[in-house]
Amino acid sequence: LADRENLLPGGGFEQAGPKGFTGWDWMDGFGQAIVQDTAVKHSGAASARLSNFRKGEGHGNCRIVKKLALAPWRQYHLSVWIKTDGVAPAGDIRVAVLAPDGRSLNYA
């Protein structure tokens, strides 16, 4: 692993302002399709609830984005907890790591 520091501060979605979660660059429809949920969470005080996808973005995307400057030829580890209760089709839920030109950088 490149280094052990957390590159996603705010990954617990516990801090939010009127435009979105603190530490994230942008998201589709914060306050409509994406809301802070303090009732359903994995750990910590809150989570991000994604629902009503078309309310946030007309094509149905519901994205939370963080741009990072990463060093080439290094390996990074990303771990997430996703609850898909009531989401159909759950197979359409993805975590994507993309290069600036749109290429996928994640293996699995």
Side-chain angles (χ1 to χ4, degrees), residues 35-90:
V35 297
Q36 187 180 45
D37 189 340
T38 57
V40 178
K41 54 202 175 275
H42 173 52
S43 62
S47 66
R49 176 181 293 271
L50 286 66
S51 60
N52 301 316
F53 300 155
R54 291 204 185 276
K55 282 187 177 180
E57 195 273 338
H59 291 98
N61 293 319
C62 199
R63 301 167 289 191
I64 301 174
V65 176
K66 175 70 175 175
K67 295 180 181 181
L68 299 171
L70 303 176
W73 306 108
R74 301 239 180 133
Q75 185 179 39
Y76 296 88
H77 176 82
L78 174 67
S79 177
V80 299
W81 287 88
I82 300 173
K83 181 178 179 180
T84 58
D85 185 34
V87 176

